[in-house]
Amino acid sequence: MKLNKYHFVGLFLITLILACNVKDTGPSVIDLKVSNLLSKMTLEEKIGQMNQYNGFWDVTGPSPEGGDAKNKYEHLKKGLVGSMLNVRGAEEVRAVQKIAVEETRLGIPLIIGFDVIHGYKTISPIPLAEAASWDLDEIKSSAKMAALEASAAGINWTFAPMVDISRDARWGRVMEGAGEDTYLGSAIARARVMGFQGDELSSNETVIACAKHFAGYGFAEAGRDYNTVDVGSSTLFNVILPPFKAAKDAGVRTFMNSFNELNGVPASGDTYLQRDILKGEWNFDGFVVSDWGSIGEMIAHGHAKDGNHAAEISANSGSDMDMESSLYVNELASLVKEGKVSEKNIDDAVSRILKVKYELGLFDDPYKYCDAAREKEVTGSKEIMDAALEMAKKSIVLLKNENNILPLKKEGQKIALIGALASDKNSPLGSWRIAADDNTAVSVLEGMQRYNGNTLSYAKGADVSMGKTEFIREVTINTTDKSEFPEAIATAKSADVVVMVLGEVGFQSGEGRSRVNLDLPGVQQELLEAIYAVNKNLVLVVNNGRPLNLSWADENVPAVVEAWHLGTQSGNAIAQVLYGDYNPSGKLPMTFPRHVGQVPLYYNFKATGRPTLPAPGIVFWTHYQDVENTPLYPFGYGLSYTTFNYSDMNVNNTYAENKEVSVSVMIKNTGSVSGKEVAQLYIRDVYASETRPVRELKGFDLVDLAPGESKLVEFTLTDEELGFYSNKGSWKVENGDFEVYVGGSSSTTNKSTFELK
Ligand code: BGC
């Protein structure tokens, strides 16, 4: 072959690219492609990439819904849309992608986002429930399955995981997170990001993840969604930010900012969070999307004068993509021309977005997620359904089991199943189930019917909600209709054992679903008491998206099973636990209070100067007059059909020599069936320049044990576990006394001590 001048130019470029790659500091191939493309773009085209629209397309054309579909369609054709959300299905995505690729000047493909929160069409347990498994491999695999199913339906970006820590059960979105603890939350954030994104971003079986809501959204005052957040910097650095940092370190490609204000600044306009911390200190090189319309909401917050001002603040503070407020596409060009937003900031945002599109491989094949045959084959496949069942079983927490009333016998028992939720095929899907078909969960009734050695009779007892519940509707709870009580009472009377399924309907928790009351909704408490009055052999199965006040049940009912909203396989998982085919091993990722007035209630609180009763009758200590301080069920708590004994705790303190403290403990299965224990290690830094919590989770391990079997479990504490962030944000490890606890919940008394010198 004869070489011509083009070959030499080509060779030169390849050498340049290789040289840049070898030197870690230089731009990557993708960076070069991005800057090349950027150099060809007009200002309007750049701003278009920063604009994200909600779906307005129903395969054949713009859907009339929302009124502005036509306008959005025009924008799409002009290359003024960089991403769409809520367009789904291989064919539908192909249709919009085709316009972006074939009809716009530069043919830049769209990135397609969707809330794949816990499964796509096959629904896995709500994230809070999954967190109760403490099983990082299973959680990762659950995210992987969700990605597999969603990616086959044209989606390449999920708005998950939500890594907001929350201590307030009144907040409806606790269902979407990993609970109250930063250490567990960070580990789960990593697992979910890795599960969604896999090893290969350009694979058509994975989606990119989004750590949200940056930051502080879980600390809404009084648990009221979207409310003001007012936390000290110690809480910000030690509690709120670490799971985001963990997601970033696991390679998450996007962040979503949040609706709330923090220290007087709405998150969508927060330069400190987005530019100084995320893109500065943490060196995050993906992009930030706003939350739905949150840029425009800065006007209502009282932070921006008007839409133009909101766009200016947001773009300058580092929000790269505008979800659905249309303010970037309408305002940014004039703001740049007036010099209020620099083109450098625009270029930075667009480069980040294009980079992710290149990483996904969308420029090589924009239709790689649009294979209708694959969609058909993958959706609801056996692999995905089996994984949903595994995850659901592992998410169940046994809260009480007096006299081993559970497991139920497989034959010879007359069982009464009571409660509207027992036959409900919709509620187990939770509230984040946009792509799932209604009523597709296996109900508890169906799950139990598969065990047909017993006589099973069912009575509803009472409806929980009245009327239809839909995604964006308020749920109306039945507080009056008890007309079906008598039938349920009669059914219970004649049974050997009664199983009641009570709790929240699927749409009672989730976004915009805050509650001031944590009791069983509606007439369910009355129903429970009425049934208990006629049959005390009672098992209560709770379906819910948040910790509820189960005080009465705990005092009276012999067995309580926390079964959350467990998704498509809910009834199968619950039945397997009830009949003992699966030995429950879940542990609570959030504290359950005795009374809503205790909330926010969490295990890793600060001691205060008056932690304990000074002398009988003295009132001046930190307590309530009417309810004790302790929770009903603490963080990390959960029982099994077997029992475990912890012994021989040993602390090997080699911190002075090699900066390590190792802790070991022997765990024995002292019961008669195999079981899994989640062994948890907590520390307390007894005194410090800034006070530390009474306990902090710093390690956990899942231990499978046959009856009579023992295993030694070992943990290593390094600076990473022993230190904390000062209220100025710097990391500190301080010498002094520490306590260490290892046991089966945050209230374990199995304790030792060591000193850092
Ligand atoms: C939620 C986000 C979600 C977005 C898109 C917002 O209301 O806060 O978490 O990803 O909607 O559906």
Side-chain angles (χ1 to χ4, degrees):
M1 180 177 77
K2 239 177 128 206
L3 296 180
N4 61 30
K5 68 176 178 187
Y6 295 108
H7 288 111
F8 285 111
V9 174
L11 265 175
F12 172 75
L13 266 177
I14 291 169
T15 321
L16 185 75
I17 286 168
L18 286 176
C20 292
N21 270 342
V22 173
K23 284 210 301 144
D24 232 17
T25 47
S28 67
V29 179
I30 285 184
D31 290 336
L32 291 171
K33 286 181 178 171
V34 167
S35 51
N36 183 34
L37 179 53
L38 196 69
S39 69
K40 295 182 186 147
M41 294 170 80
T42 64
L43 177 62
E44 279 67 25
E45 283 166 338
K46 290 178 185 173
I47 292 166
Q49 288 302 304
M50 298 166 71
N51 180 33
Q52 184 188 49
Y53 279 150
N54 185 43
F56 55 87
W57 193 258
D58 58 10
V59 188
T60 49
S63 87
E65 256 172 70
D68 58 353
K70 193 117 190 40
N71 191 27
K72 286 177 165 179
Y73 181 40
E74 290 309 314
H75 280 179
L76 179 62
K77 286 200 294 188
K78 284 189 198 146
L80 299 181
V81 183
S83 169
M84 285 180 64
L85 75 151
N86 293 335
V87 184
R88 64 189 153 95
E91 288 310 329
E92 193 166 331
V93 171
R94 181 181 285 277
V96 288
Q97 192 68 291
K98 199 158 180 275
I99 298 168
V101 172
E102 290 181 14
E103 294 188 34
T104 68
R105 189 179 77 92
L106 293 169
I108 300 174
L110 298 165
I111 182 168
I112 304 290
F114 195 81
D115 290 283
V116 185
I117 306 297
H118 51 112
Y120 174 68
K121 211 167 186 70
T122 308
I123 300 297
S124 49
I126 55 168
L128 184 66
E130 291 195 0
S133 74
W134 296 55
D135 189 329
L136 301 178
D137 292 337
E138 200 64 56
I139 292 172
K140 183 176 164 191
S141 147
S142 175
K144 185 177 162 189
M145 291 300 138
L148 185 65
E149 204 175 58
S151 61
I155 289 149
N156 44 44
W157 178 20
T158 176
F159 304 124
M162 185 187 101
V163 303
D164 298 306
I165 297 299
S166 177
R167 300 162 161 180
D168 197 327
R170 293 170 298 181
W171 189 49
R173 285 191 95 165
V174 297
M175 55 73 58
E176 199 179 338
E180 73 187 37
D181 183 62
T182 298
Y183 183 89
L184 179 63
S186 300
I188 291 177
R190 273 191 292 274
R192 289 197 167 128
V193 169
M194 284 154 63
F196 285 128
Q197 295 193 166
D199 303 326
E200 195 61 70
L201 289 178
S202 65
S203 154
N204 67 352
E205 299 191 341
T206 59
V207 298
I208 54 160
C210 180
K212 71 187 189 185
H213 304 85
F214 198 60
Y217 184 45
F219 278 72
E221 276 180 0
R224 205 175 71 225
D225 208 359
Y226 319 119
N227 204 6
T228 303
V229 172
D230 194 0
V231 293
S233 54
S234 177
T235 302
L236 177 67
F237 293 125
N238 287 294
V239 180
I240 294 173
L241 292 183
F244 287 98
K245 177 69 165 45
K248 186 262 150 190
D249 291 343
V252 77
R253 298 313 290 134
T254 66
F255 269 59
M256 184 185 291
N257 56 36
S258 55
F259 290 126
N260 58 284
E261 69 160 75
L262 182 67
N263 281 319
V265 182
S268 305
D270 196 326
T271 306
Y272 174 62
L273 282 178
Q274 302 191 127
R275 288 217 189 274
D276 298 352
I277 295 184
L278 179 61
K279 295 177 178 175
E281 208 181 302
W282 295 359
N283 207 14
F284 171 65
D285 67 352
F287 70 88
V288 180
V289 63
S290 79
D291 203 343
W292 181 290
S294 65
I295 296 177
E297 289 181 12
M298 293 201 297
I299 306 166
H301 271 288
H303 188 60
K305 179 171 178 275
D306 51 23
N308 179 272
H309 190 205
E312 176 191 341
I313 298 173
S314 230
N316 284 335
S317 72
S319 304
D320 302 311
M321 187 181 275
D322 170 7
M323 182 191 284
E324 205 33 35
S325 83
S326 299
L327 289 173
Y328 278 6
V329 74
N330 291 335
E331 306 292 340
L332 276 185
S334 61
L335 285 164
V336 172
K337 280 165 201 152
E338 287 163 38
K340 290 184 175 164
V341 173
S342 68
E343 194 150 357
K344 191 169 148 266
N345 275 352
I346 302 286
D347 284 355
D348 177 59
V350 178
S351 303
R352 290 166 179 274
I353 294 163
L354 292 177
K355 184 183 170 105
V356 172
K357 290 186 176 184
Y358 274 110
E359 288 170 346
L360 281 168
L362 285 170
F363 285 93
D364 298 328
D365 179 4
Y367 306 109
K368 57 194 291 190
Y369 304 92
C370 303
D371 175 350
R374 179 165 89 96
E375 181 178 18
K376 205 161 169 233
E377 185 189 319
V378 166
T379 307
S381 70
K382 182 167 184 315
E383 184 190 17
I384 294 175
M385 288 292 273
D386 287 352
L389 178 59
E390 270 317 290
M391 190 71 255
K393 287 191 290 195
K394 290 179 172 174
S395 304
I396 294 172
V397 186
L398 179 64
L399 296 175
K400 189 178 175 196
N401 191 20
E402 231 169 49
N403 307 325
N404 294 329
I405 181 169
L406 285 175
L408 300 172
K409 294 194 178 60
K410 285 194 183 150
E411 43 194 58
Q413 262 181 342
K414 246 179 110 182
I415 299 173
L417 178 64
I418 291 169
L421 289 172
S423 60
D424 190 338
K425 292 171 66 58
N426 217 19
S427 281
L429 302 176
S431 62
W432 269 126
R433 33 75 84 75
I434 314 174
D437 297 326
D438 280 350
N439 297 307
T440 45
V442 177
S443 69
V444 179
L445 176 60
E446 289 167 328
M448 289 182 75
Q449 275 165 342
R450 293 192 180 155
Y451 289 81
N452 54 14
N454 288 312
T455 340
L456 182 68
S457 42
Y458 171 68
K460 186 160 69 169
D463 280 319
V464 186
S465 68
M466 314 267 276
K468 218 170 156 218
T469 55
E470 278 170 10
F471 180 56
I472 49 168
R473 294 249 183 95
E474 286 284 352
V475 173
T476 315
I477 294 301
N478 167 26
T479 53
T480 48
D481 182 4
K482 296 188 259 176
S483 57
E484 291 178 71
F485 272 32
E487 189 201 333
I489 291 168
T491 311
K493 245 184 199 163
S494 60
D496 297 324
V497 190
V498 182
V499 176
M500 291 187 80
V501 185
L502 305 177
E504 296 182 313
V505 289
F507 288 107
Q508 234 179 320
S509 50
E511 184 175 349
R513 273 120 175 149
S514 297
R515 291 177 61 195
V516 294
N517 187 340
L518 297 179
D519 298 339
L520 290 170
V523 295
Q524 292 181 101
Q525 180 65 35
E526 276 177 78
L527 179 65
L528 175 64
E529 292 180 28
I531 299 293
Y532 179 78
V534 297
N535 195 334
K536 298 199 168 23
N537 266 341
L538 188 57
V539 176
L540 172 63
V541 176
V542 192
N543 282 173
N544 48 340
R546 52 155 67 80
L548 292 177
N549 175 8
L550 303 174
S551 297
W552 189 90
D554 181 67
E555 210 171 291
N556 298 285
V557 174
V560 183
V561 178
E562 173 52 67
W564 317 104
H565 292 132
L566 290 178
T568 308
Q569 292 274 26
S570 172
N572 288 334
I574 293 170
Q576 287 194 27
V577 164
L578 292 179
Y579 286 102
D581 279 345
Y582 187 80
N583 186 356
S585 54
K587 302 274 189 178
L588 294 178
M590 262 191 106
T591 302
F592 274 46
R594 296 177 184 280
H595 189 285
V596 67
Q598 295 176 293
V599 171
L601 185 69
Y602 48 98
Y603 83 95
N604 49 353
F605 57 90
K606 301 287 186 77
T608 80
R610 295 183 174 192
T612 47
L613 175 68
I618 302 286
V619 297
F620 306 112
W621 65 290
T622 180
H623 75 299
Y624 300 102
Q625 284 181 295
D626 45 1
V627 172
E628 63 177 275
N629 284 350
T630 58
L632 183 66
Y633 302 118
F635 173 83
Y637 170 81
L639 304 173
S640 160
Y641 292 149
T642 187
T643 45
F644 301 99
N645 180 52
Y646 288 73
S647 66
D648 306 322
M649 182 146 145
N650 183 44
V651 177
N652 185 16
N653 183 357
T654 61
Y655 192 79
E657 306 90 68
N658 63 3
K659 298 213 153 229
E660 259 184 34
V661 178
S662 51
V663 180
S664 64
V665 69
M666 189 64 86
I667 306 180
K668 182 173 184 185
N669 180 344
T670 47
S672 55
V673 288
S674 294
K676 192 199 315 278
E677 170 71 331
V678 182
Q680 304 154 44
L681 178 142
Y682 297 85
I683 61 164
R684 177 175 187 177
D685 184 346
V686 181
Y687 58 92
S689 56
E690 290 171 31
T691 59
R692 304 303 306 140
V694 293
R695 282 186 193 193
E696 291 178 90
L697 181 73
K698 291 295 176 182
F700 60 91
D701 201 0
L702 275 57
V703 196
D704 278 302
L705 291 169
E709 193 187 0
S710 297
K711 267 187 197 157
L712 190 74
V713 178
E714 292 177 287
F715 300 93
T716 306
L717 301 171
T718 63
D719 278 354
E720 207 179 312
E721 288 79 26
L722 297 167
F724 62 91
Y725 287 99
S726 77
N727 56 28
K728 303 277 180 299
S730 59
W731 185 252
K732 287 180 161 195
V733 184
E734 293 183 353
N735 284 347
D737 294 334
F738 282 75
E739 292 170 357
V740 58
Y741 300 82
V742 182
S745 86
S746 62
S747 64
T748 177
T749 50
N750 190 30
K751 171 182 164 188
S752 190
T753 57
F754 61 89
E755 187 186 352
L756 292 195
K757 296 197 250 214

